Amino acid sequence: MTEQQSEYTGKATMEKITSLAKRRGFVFQSSEIYGGQNGAWDYGPLGIELKNRIASMWWKEMTQLHDDIVGLDAAILMHPRTWEASGHVENFTDPLVDCKKCKTRFRADQIPEENLKAKKCPECGGELTDTRKFNLMFRTHIGPAEDSASLIYLRPETAQGIYVNYKNIIQSNRMKIPFGIAQIGKAFRNEIVTRNFIFRTCEFEQMEMQYFVKPGTDVEWFEEWRKRRWAYYEKLGVKMDRLRWHQHGPDELAHYAKDAYDIEYLFPMGWRELEGVHNRTDYDLTRHTQFSGKDLQYIDQDNNNERYIPYIIETSAGLTRNLLMILCDAYDEELVSGDKDSGGEAGTPGQGGAAVDWRTVLRFHPSLAPVTVAVMPLMKKDGLAELARDIRCELKEDFATDYDQAGAIGRRYRRQDEAGTPFCVTVDYQTKDDGTVTLRFRDSMEQVRVHTNELAGRLRQEIKAYKRIT
Ligand code: ATP
């Protein structure tokens, strides 16, 4: 483990992130009252807000900011021939071994080589079965009969919905190569081992963009999209020393890929894939041409009606995996002096008042934070609560707001820190006199007085100019 990694994991462990996520309503275990469902998670009130914001940042980046990219929302259930054409029926497999003694199931490529050779379970030393291929696609049946004619798959990637619609989109939207189609949606994989919270799950969401280019220009576009995707994470404010590229070696390349790079993030459990950028060549469209019998060539009307099957550059990111990354990236524990925010609550452990004090803070970019501004009255009495509610009401139209009047002010600030709320507005007796409120910043914990008339403008300014300080 590198020094950087141990310093980092000391703060943000998967256990801490999982427990914070549950405590604050980001992510819950699916069907928890029945003991939980492996590989599936539910996104709570803060989680769904965060997920929606990550998705809309990506959507804006890929569609609004690119004149040549349009959106799509294709169905999860697709004609089963799609998956024969794509190669998933044949190739989308993981190698699987079971321990005959302790019954643990492993991905053969994830256990030590010597255990595999000796057929010895890494957990209990028992005998392992032979390796067999296991297809990761979920199967179900459409209609009342459960026979092979009704067999249908839950899509394991969103990409194929784009490929089968590529001609529709050219025709309906007069797209010219090069152009892209972006899509966000659910994907399902029957993963053998689901571990590390929402990192690898059976039900998850992807944000994929397929860029159609002329053969021969694919290498150039591939590099261009690598650059753009890297710049996107910079813009998102992610700690860039926790990102790196990993090029797939010949043994890692998917059946369709000519070249592939992963953007890896340094999660608490180590470097793991966050997003893939793939040169999928003309593989997919050629196969769909063969399997559907439809001509999927592009006709270049600006170039003597030249015909060709485009090459495809894919950028494929996990939305739910991005959410985990954003949580890990934002997570911080900070030693702060206790008096700053104690608000008269001296001596409450962990809540200020002591000589030193810890706080847990999620340093989300304000554009991603589930709540942008929390409004709170210093006291419930003397009309302060009503005043605070009015201010919240005015901010509501433009910002995601919260209202909190329960407990000491220091404790309320800490609750908002833990939820990643970048700004708190406190209404006190002075507000009644001169119309000013306290604006408190999550990261620096600094406080300034602002007139309520200028509050919305000031918040907008702060969001635009936001720079993370640690
Ligand atoms: P891995 O090697 O981690 O299984 P992969 O190379 O099969 O992933 P891709 O098929 O390239 O992944 O999928 C694109 C993106 O979708 C990944 O970078 C990841 O962010 C996300 N993703 C893939 N599988 C899962 C999963 N089981 N759970 C959550 N996200 C996933």
Side-chain angles (χ1 to χ4, degrees), residues 39 88 92 94 107 110 136 156-157 187-191 193-194 198-208 233 248 252 254 256 262-263 272-278 280 314-322:
H88 282 80
F92 198 55
D94 273 345
R107 249 175 74 171
Q110 287 179 349
L136 298 183
E157 61 175 26
F188 301 84
R189 295 182 187 179
N190 201 354
E191 298 280 2
V193 184
T194 55
I198 53 171
F199 177 80
R200 184 181 303 287
T201 52
C202 292
E203 176 176 346
F204 57 101
E205 281 173 78
Q206 290 188 312
M207 307 184 286
E208 295 197 308
Y233 288 107
H248 286 205
E252 289 173 279
Y256 50 73
D262 293 337
I263 297 180
R272 296 283 192 285
E273 173 179 343
L274 177 67
E275 163 162 357
V277 182
H278 310 130
R280 292 182 75 130
E314 167 183 71
T315 71
S316 175
L319 169 54
T320 40
R321 200 175 281 184
N322 254 261

Side-chain angles (χ1 to χ4, degrees), residues 166 213-215 282-283 285-286 289 295-298 307-311:
Y166 127 96
V213 305
K214 188 170 180 177
D282 58 359
Y283 175 85
L285 291 180
T286 304
T289 304
D295 182 4
L296 298 180
Q297 290 182 99
Y298 176 74
R307 288 166 176 260
Y308 57 83
I309 300 266
Y311 267 44

Side-chain angles (χ1 to χ4, degrees), residues 53-278:
R53 294 203 210 317
I54 297 170
S56 75
M57 289 277 262
W58 184 90
W59 192 255
K60 176 179 174 187
E61 173 72 23
M62 295 311 238
T63 62
Q64 192 175 323
L65 298 182
H66 285 103
D67 303 342
D68 57 355
I69 304 181
V70 290
L72 176 74
D73 183 20
I76 289 171
L77 299 177
M78 299 181 70
H79 195 289
R81 290 280 281 167
T82 309
W83 306 107
E84 289 170 34
S86 69
H88 282 80
V89 170
E90 200 182 334
N91 296 314
F92 198 55
T93 56
D94 273 345
L96 173 78
V97 287
D98 288 304
C99 172
K100 290 183 183 169
K101 194 169 156 202
C102 71
K103 309 288 177 216
T104 309
R105 182 158 284 175
F106 302 96
R107 249 175 74 171
D109 55 345
Q110 287 179 349
I111 62 172
E113 191 83 20
E114 56 271 22
N115 286 72
L116 201 58
K117 272 201 191 128
K119 289 193 154 186
K120 193 172 161 195
C121 172
E123 301 273 319
C124 75
E127 194 192 342
L128 292 176
T129 59
D130 287 337
T131 306
R132 61 188 189 281
K133 277 185 172 182
F134 171 73
N135 195 296
L136 298 183
M137 280 198 293
F138 276 100
R139 297 150 152 246
T140 185
H141 293 272
I142 197 153
E146 293 201 2
D147 54 20
S148 60
S150 67
L151 178 69
I152 198 160
Y153 301 97
L154 299 187
R155 67 180 178 200
E157 61 175 26
T158 60
Q160 299 300 327
I162 294 182
Y163 304 147
V164 300
N165 274 296
Y166 127 96
K167 271 261 151 146
N168 281 339
I169 288 178
I170 289 183
Q171 279 151 14
S172 62
N173 297 68
R174 301 195 312 276
M175 303 307 288
K176 289 193 170 169
I177 274 179
F179 75 93
I181 304 174
Q183 175 165 227
I184 299 176
K186 291 235 171 180
F188 301 84
R189 295 182 187 179
N190 201 354
E191 298 280 2
I192 297 168
V193 184
T194 55
R195 214 181 273 148
N196 291 319
F197 190 31
I198 53 171
F199 177 80
R200 184 181 303 287
T201 52
C202 292
E203 176 176 346
F204 57 101
E205 281 173 78
Q206 290 188 312
M207 307 184 286
E208 295 197 308
M209 193 282 302
Q210 313 294 324
Y211 201 72
F212 299 81
V213 305
K214 188 170 180 177
T217 64
D218 52 306
V219 173
E220 208 178 302
W221 276 114
F222 182 68
E223 286 312 316
E224 178 59 28
W225 276 108
R226 286 210 315 131
K227 257 192 248 150
R228 289 181 186 178
R229 293 309 299 153
W230 189 262
Y232 170 75
Y233 288 107
E234 258 171 347
K235 195 163 126 183
L236 215 56
V238 175
K239 289 189 166 165
M240 294 310 281
D241 59 348
R242 290 190 192 164
L243 285 183
R244 71 176 188 193
W245 285 106
H246 164 74
Q247 185 176 19
H248 286 205
D251 54 329
E252 289 173 279
L253 277 180
H255 57 275
Y256 50 73
K258 169 172 161 185
D259 200 358
Y261 276 83
D262 293 337
I263 297 180
E264 293 185 336
Y265 180 81
L266 183 61
F267 287 95
M269 64 280 188
W271 291 99
R272 296 283 192 285
E273 173 179 343
L274 177 67
E275 163 162 357
V277 182
H278 310 130

Side-chain angles (χ1 to χ4, degrees), residues 22 27-43 203:
K22 178 174 180 192
V27 183
F28 307 119
Q29 204 182 5
S30 162
S31 328
E32 195 184 303
I33 60 166
Y34 290 103
Q37 174 54 54
N38 243 347
W41 297 85
D42 298 340
Y43 291 80
E203 176 176 346

